[in-house]
Amino acid sequence: MLDVQCLSKVYKTGKRALNGIDMIIDRPQVVAIIGSSGAGKSTFIRCINRLVEPTSGRILLNGKDIVALDRKDLRSARRRIGMIFQEYNLVERLTVMQNVLSGRLGYVSLFASLRYRFPAEDIRAAFELLDRVGLAGYQDRRADALSGGQRQRVGIARALMQRPDLLLLDEPTASLDPKTSRQIMRLVGELVAERKTPAIINIHDVALAKSHADRIVGLSEGALVFDDTPDQLTDAALARIYGDEDWTLTSNNEAAGA
């Protein structure tokens, strides 16, 4: 499905954000990307759909190299990559339904998109998704009248309206309280299983990653230093990712809360 080969990013300042990342996702799963601030997590996520331009390397999605695409073909490829943002990225003055249907804008004419006229099939799919993410009956609410957790659910529904081959989530729980964060992560895991669509999640909360991800990838100074299942994320692995620290308390707290 996704094959990232020797992906590097060097910014104009000379900062090397990514240093030869190799990663393959060949089945539906939730992949959590963890690491310190500045480790390259957001850069990695955004390079995959070229919101950030890679300096070198290849990103193969279903055999097509995203890095090599021209502007027109990139627009087409992005339809198959659903992006969910920390700041929700909704149009505040529009309704929930209009925001969800925005996931289909690349599939209708300019005339139809300006008037938010979509095929009946798309409207039915939007209602079904709103029900699935727990927002049945919210279709006519304005986005700016929603809570943070509700906005994130709208963002998830909008991304799924694209019928993507891959979901990218950039710190989707950073602005949410702990309970809502767990609910959102649980929802993402359920949707990945139901729709057979892999998801890559950039996340700071290690405990949340361990409890909801199928696979954890750790970055340190732009390099991949860990790639395994959550149960293999030992104190020694955490030290490789985040640096020397006493991780015993974190491990004990997780065990107590299990």
Side-chain angles (χ1 to χ4, degrees):
M1 291 182 180
L2 180 72
D3 184 3
V4 178
Q5 301 176 1
C6 203
L7 184 66
S8 296
K9 174 61 182 178
V10 181
Y11 287 102
K12 292 181 180 179
T13 60
K15 174 180 171 55
R16 180 173 289 276
L18 297 176
N19 188 15
I21 302 292
D22 292 309
M23 189 175 76
I24 294 175
I25 299 177
D26 58 5
R27 63 187 182 277
Q29 59 181 175
V30 177
V31 181
I33 310 293
I34 65 172
S36 302
S37 296
K41 302 187 303 298
S42 286
T43 300
F44 178 72
I45 287 277
R46 290 168 181 258
C47 276
I48 291 174
N49 63 359
R50 281 178 55 187
L51 288 177
V52 170
E53 288 289 344
T55 301
S56 61
R58 305 178 75 201
I59 301 168
L60 302 174
L61 181 61
N62 295 331
K64 181 177 292 185
D65 187 1
I66 302 296
V67 177
L69 298 180
D70 60 24
R71 185 173 299 180
K72 179 181 177 181
D73 289 337
L74 177 60
R75 284 197 302 270
S76 178
R78 279 175 173 163
R79 296 175 186 174
R80 311 302 300 173
I81 303 174
M83 184 78 179
I84 300 164
F85 299 87
Q86 173 188 344
E87 62 275 12
Y88 318 124
N89 213 34
L90 304 180
V91 181
E92 299 290 325
R93 61 181 175 80
L94 296 184
T95 66
V96 166
M97 177 59 78
Q98 287 171 319
N99 272 285
V100 172
L101 285 170
S102 294
R104 300 300 295 169
L105 286 177
Y107 295 88
V108 298
S109 68
L110 177 61
F111 178 84
S113 67
L114 290 174
R115 290 159 178 78
Y116 275 83
R117 294 181 179 176
F118 293 86
E121 178 186 354
D122 288 345
I123 295 172
R124 284 195 300 270
F127 273 110
E128 290 172 1
L129 277 171
L130 285 175
D131 181 53
R132 180 60 189 86
V133 302
L135 292 177
Y138 282 76
Q139 64 271 7
D140 295 324
R141 299 270 189 99
R142 278 177 51 130
D144 55 10
L146 303 178
S147 69
Q150 289 168 338
R151 292 183 187 193
Q152 197 59 282
R153 290 171 186 268
V154 174
I156 292 171
R158 179 186 58 194
L160 291 174
M161 277 296 293
Q162 297 176 223
R163 299 166 192 162
D165 296 322
L166 176 69
L167 283 173
L168 303 176
L169 299 91
D170 195 6
E171 299 190 41
T173 63
S175 302
L176 305 178
D177 63 76
K179 179 180 179 180
T180 305
S181 296
R182 289 194 294 272
Q183 291 172 342
I184 292 297
M185 290 293 289
R186 188 178 306 116
L187 174 62
V188 171
E190 291 169 355
L191 291 169
V192 166
E194 291 168 9
R195 293 173 176 265
K196 309 302 181 187
T197 303
I200 304 176
I201 305 179
N202 165 17
I203 188 168
H204 277 290
D205 190 323
V206 173
L208 204 59
K210 289 186 70 173
S211 60
H212 290 89
D214 303 302
R215 173 181 172 187
I216 295 179
V217 171
L219 299 184
S220 178
E221 297 183 345
L224 193 154
V225 297
F226 180 86
D227 186 354
D228 213 325
T229 54
D231 62 297
Q232 296 301 309
L233 191 64
T234 62
D235 294 351
L238 287 168
R240 291 202 305 275
I241 298 167
Y242 293 99
D244 292 335
E245 183 59 71
D246 183 3
W247 295 100
T248 307
L249 183 60
T250 299
S251 299
N252 289 340
N253 286 343
E254 289 172 359

